[in-house]
């Protein structure tokens, strides 16, 4: 509060934000600063093409008055010094501001020169009184009522004089800021111009004569002001060329018909019919919707209660279904007696009379086109084949045969329940004459199979004989050479042997004496000689064994002998490596050589 040692009870802070949406271009009053205010801060909340303005109640313009834009700097007014700031950086987003320490000695009015939507103006100052932070417009105050000398509505007055339509650009914006475009014919109601702007020689100016038709009859549309060139005194319209085309205001969009449109039922497309023929069902979506700001929104159903709700479901029929038709009567039974079958022709026919696929008719309702038929029990009798042409014996007594079977007789109408026990004979005797002097091969019985399992062989004796009346005579085989000789040997197979161990022959021994070894390969094979794993491991033959375990005996050479009595000294001195000593002491050196070779072999 500016009192040394005080307790902040001698003043109070007044602050607020001016956020009114403005439609008309020009000066609009934001707030008034009372006499005695200190720590004044008026700040635009973000950069815009609007300008802040300040004037005293005496009518003196302090900053940006009389349609002229001042440069940023220090300006004296109301008994204090105001610092006017306008950031000029292109990348800056900060808006304009007025700052002053105060106190003021008169009431000051803050205005905004409106050219585009208001981003919001924050104001704050301190006045003597209780230390409370209060809003400029308390909740209990009605709109239009003053509070601390403030008004929450903008005050604008229209002037028709030509000099209020002039552009003031004696102080252009800094680089990066756009110039104020045009000023409408609106100034504060208590504006007192410092000086008259220069008059123009033109007798015509631009005037708004109305607005375009609203783009929507409800739900928030848009319209634009219409400007015409008129005579400044008679207000009669003139050609656009009579006015300064550069000073023609730019029409800005204005909202209109903000009231919401009536709710309506939004009907979706019908779904496909649930059946391809006959009576089916189809569905659609029914929503209650309302249009606002060119957008169709889904709302609660009760908003459409004043309207009759359309049906969500409906019956449908794409076509009359095809039907089954019986085209023929039943045929005769397939058998003259017993149980048989009979058929008839059943077709699927469309409503146009055409025969179509069975799938187009209801298969559950399809009439039967085949059924069993019982023609009563059939009579039975014996059926016989002819006797065989060949006698079973080429000579002597034999038989001829025929087949006998009991079957139903579709031709006979004999009331027989069965064929009875009088079965006809199936064989009859025959005789091709005596068997005298005839030769033939005689085969004996087969011997037993050569092995108990797997593939083996068996034999039999085949001899040439001559058959007489009561006996047989064995002949030389060449007597029967003109006849085909029966086989005397054949393969036999009693049962599978399963897997067995097979081995190769032993290899040669690795040494001729003093213990060598020999090896063979052992495999488990099945009956078809393929490798198997089913052999008994305990019965597996050995794959390696010792051989030639006898000691090695040196060959006796009659010419090999010791020529000296002290050959043992030659051996001890290891002189046997020399040919002379090896020959002179042949026996001793040979014995040592055999002993060393045996030692190396054991290693």
């Amino acid at each position: 509060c500016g009192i040394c040692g005080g307790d902040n009870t001698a003043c109070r802070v007044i602050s607020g934000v001016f956020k009114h949406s403005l439609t008309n271009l020009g000066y609009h009053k934001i707030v008034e600063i009372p006499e005695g205010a200190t720590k004044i801060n008026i700040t635009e909340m973000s950069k815009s093409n609007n300008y802040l303005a300040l004037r005293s109640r005496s009518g003196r313009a302090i900053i940006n008055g009389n349609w002229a834009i001042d440069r940023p700097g220090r300006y004296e007014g109301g008994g204090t010094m105001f610092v006017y700031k306008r950031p000029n950086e292109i990348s800056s987003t900060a808006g304009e501001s007025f700052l002053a320490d105060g106190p003021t000695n008169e009431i000051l009015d803050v205005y905004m020169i409106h050219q585009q939507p208001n981003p919001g103006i924050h104001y704050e100052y301190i006045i003597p009184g209780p230390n409370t932070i209060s809003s400029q417009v308390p909740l209990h105050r009605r709109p239009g009522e003053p509070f601390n000398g403030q008004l929450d509505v903008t005050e604008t007055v229209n002037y028709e004089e030509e000099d209020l339509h002039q552009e003031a650009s004696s102080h252009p914006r800094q680089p990066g800021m756009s110039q104020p475009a045009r000023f409408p014919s609106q100034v504060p109601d208590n504006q007192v111009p410092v000086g008259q702007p220069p008059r123009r020689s033109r007798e015509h100016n631009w005037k708004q004569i109305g607005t375009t038709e609203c783009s929507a009859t409800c739900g928030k549309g848009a319209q634009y002001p219409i400007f015409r060139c008129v005579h400044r005194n008679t207000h009669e319209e003139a050609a656009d060329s009579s006015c300064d085309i550069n000073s023609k205001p730019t029409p800005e969009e204005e909202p209109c018909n903000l009231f919401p449109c009536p709710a309506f039922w939004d009907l979706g497309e019908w779904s496909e019919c649930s059946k391809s023929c006959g009576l089916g069902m189809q569905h659609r979506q029914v929503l209650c919707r309302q249009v606002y700001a060119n957008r169709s929104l889904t709302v609660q159903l009760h908003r459409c209660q004043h309207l009759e709700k359309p049906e969500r479901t409906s019956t449908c029929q794409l076509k009359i279904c095809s039907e089954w038709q019986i085209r023929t009567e039943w045929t005769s039974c397939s058998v003259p007696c017993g149980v048989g079958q009979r058929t008839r022709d059943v077709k699927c026919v469309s409503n146009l009379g055409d025969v179509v696929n069975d799938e187009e008719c209801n298969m559950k309702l399809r009439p039967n086109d085949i059924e069993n038929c019982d023609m009563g029990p059939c009579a039975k009798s014996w059926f016989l084949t002819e006797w065989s042409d060949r006698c079973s014996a080429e000579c002597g007594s034999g038989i001829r045969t025929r087949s006998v079977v009991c079957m139903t007789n579709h031709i006979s109408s004999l009331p027989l329940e069965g064929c009875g026990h009088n079965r006809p004979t199936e064989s009859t005797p025959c005789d091709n004459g005596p068997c005298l002097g005839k030769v033939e091969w005689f085969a004996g019985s087969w011997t037993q199979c050569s092995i108990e399992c797997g593939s083996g062989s068996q034999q039999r004796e085949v001899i040439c004989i001559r058959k007489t009346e009561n006996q047989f005579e064995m002949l030389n085989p060449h007597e029967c050479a003109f006849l085909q000789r029966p086989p005397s040997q054949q393969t036999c197979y009693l049962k599978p042997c399963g897997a067995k161990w097979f081995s190769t022959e032993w290899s040669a021994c690795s040494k001729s004496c003093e213990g060598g070894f020999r090896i063979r390969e052992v495999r488990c094979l099945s009956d078809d000689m393929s490798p198997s794993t089913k052999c008994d491991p305990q019965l597996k033959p050995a794959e390696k064994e010792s051989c030639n375990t006898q000691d090695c005996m040196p060959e006796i050479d009659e010419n090999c002998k010791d020529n000296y009595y002290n050959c043992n000294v030659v051996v001890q001195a290891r002189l046997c490596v020399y040919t002379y000593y090896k020959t002179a002491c042949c026996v001793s050196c040979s014995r040592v050589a055999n002993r060393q070779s045996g030692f190396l072999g054991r290693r």
Side-chain angles (χ1 to χ4, degrees), residues 553-569:
M553 298 298 294
E555 295 181 1
I556 299 175
D557 187 1
E558 295 180 354
N559 296 322
C560 182
K561 59 183 179 179
D562 289 343
N563 296 327
Y564 299 97
Y565 67 93
N566 58 348
C567 282
N568 59 333
V569 177

Side-chain angles (χ1 to χ4, degrees), residues 446 458-462 485-490:
W446 290 106
Q458 55 185 172
Q459 290 79 28
R460 66 179 177 180
E461 188 175 4
V462 178
R485 180 187 175 95
S488 59
Q489 182 175 345
Q490 68 177 7

Side-chain angles (χ1 to χ4, degrees), residues 397-408:
S397 299
I399 59 172
R400 290 193 300 167
T401 60
R402 65 180 177 182
S403 297
V404 179
V405 62
C406 178
M407 297 179 63
T408 58

Side-chain angles (χ1 to χ4, degrees), residues 18-85:
F18 180 85
K19 287 188 175 181
H20 292 288
S21 296
L22 307 175
T23 57
N24 297 326
L25 303 178
Y27 285 83
H28 293 267
K29 185 176 178 180
I30 298 175
V31 67
E32 68 178 28
I33 302 174
E35 182 179 355
T38 60
K39 305 296 182 183
I40 302 169
N41 185 349
I42 310 296
T43 303
E44 192 179 27
M45 298 183 70
S46 64
K47 181 191 294 185
S48 70
N49 288 333
N50 302 327
Y51 296 87
L52 297 176
L54 182 67
R55 75 164 192 173
S56 66
R57 280 294 174 91
S58 63
R60 185 176 71 88
I62 301 174
I63 300 175
N64 294 341
N66 195 29
W67 307 103
I69 305 303
D70 298 322
R71 294 180 180 274
R74 300 169 64 86
Y75 295 87
E76 184 177 2
T80 185
M81 185 66 69
F82 283 86
V83 179
Y84 175 38
K85 294 182 179 180

Side-chain angles (χ1 to χ4, degrees), residues 435-451:
C435 298
L436 298 177
K438 186 176 181 180
V439 297
E440 61 180 332
W441 290 106
F442 175 80
S445 300
W446 290 106
T447 62
Q448 291 185 350
C449 194
S450 59
I451 57 176

Side-chain angles (χ1 to χ4, degrees), residues 35-154:
E35 182 179 355
T38 60
K39 305 296 182 183
I40 302 169
N41 185 349
I42 310 296
T43 303
E44 192 179 27
M45 298 183 70
S46 64
K47 181 191 294 185
S48 70
N49 288 333
N50 302 327
Y51 296 87
L52 297 176
L54 182 67
R55 75 164 192 173
S56 66
R57 280 294 174 91
S58 63
R60 185 176 71 88
I62 301 174
I63 300 175
N64 294 341
N66 195 29
W67 307 103
I69 305 303
D70 298 322
R71 294 180 180 274
R74 300 169 64 86
Y75 295 87
E76 184 177 2
T80 185
M81 185 66 69
F82 283 86
V83 179
Y84 175 38
K85 294 182 179 180
R86 184 191 306 132
N88 58 3
E89 294 85 5
I90 296 177
S91 60
S92 175
T93 59
E96 295 187 350
S97 64
F98 294 153
L99 301 176
D101 291 332
T104 57
N105 58 8
E106 62 177 329
I107 298 176
L108 302 177
D109 293 325
V110 179
Y111 288 83
M112 179 177 68
I113 304 176
H114 175 245
Q115 297 192 106
Q116 71 175 51
N118 174 26
I121 307 297
H122 175 265
Y123 56 86
E124 182 178 303
Y125 54 86
I126 298 176
I127 60 175
N131 184 22
T132 58
I133 299 177
S134 62
S135 173
Q136 187 73 17
V137 182
L139 295 177
H140 63 272
R141 187 171 65 88
R142 297 179 180 176
E145 292 181 354
F147 175 75
N148 291 334
Q150 311 301 318
L151 290 175
D152 66 340
V153 295
T154 59

Side-chain angles (χ1 to χ4, degrees), residues 422-539:
N422 297 326
R423 180 184 180 90
T425 59
E426 296 180 271
S427 62
T428 184
C430 59
D431 191 350
N432 286 334
C435 298
L436 298 177
K438 186 176 181 180
V439 297
E440 61 180 332
W441 290 106
F442 175 80
S445 300
W446 290 106
T447 62
Q448 291 185 350
C449 194
S450 59
I451 57 176
E452 295 181 356
C453 63
S455 180
S457 63
Q458 55 185 172
Q459 290 79 28
R460 66 179 177 180
E461 188 175 4
V462 178
I463 58 176
C464 181
I465 62 172
R466 177 183 289 117
K467 186 177 182 181
T468 60
E469 186 70 25
N470 296 319
Q471 61 183 0
F472 294 96
E473 179 184 359
M474 188 170 64
L475 304 176
N476 196 300
H478 74 270
E479 297 287 341
C480 297
F482 66 96
L483 299 174
Q484 183 178 1
R485 180 187 175 95
S488 59
Q489 182 175 345
Q490 68 177 7
T491 58
C492 55
Y493 187 87
L494 298 180
K495 62 179 180 179
C497 294
K500 293 175 61 178
W501 291 109
F502 288 78
S503 61
T504 61
E505 296 291 338
W506 287 108
S507 66
C509 192
S510 62
K511 294 179 63 177
S512 60
C513 60
E514 291 190 352
F517 65 90
R518 60 180 182 175
I519 60 174
R520 64 180 175 181
E521 188 177 359
V522 178
R523 292 186 181 181
C524 178
L525 302 177
S526 60
D527 289 341
D528 58 355
M529 297 296 110
S530 61
S532 175
T533 58
K534 297 182 179 180
C535 296
D536 188 353
Q538 296 181 354
L539 301 179

Side-chain angles (χ1 to χ4, degrees), residues 261-289:
C261 294
F264 64 94
W265 291 112
D266 184 19
L267 306 180
E269 296 291 334
W270 285 109
S271 65
E272 294 184 0
C273 194
S274 60
K275 294 185 178 180
S276 58
C277 68
L279 194 63
M281 296 293 295
Q282 58 184 170
H283 307 269
R284 66 179 176 182
Q285 190 178 44
V286 178
L287 300 175
C288 182
R289 302 180 72 88

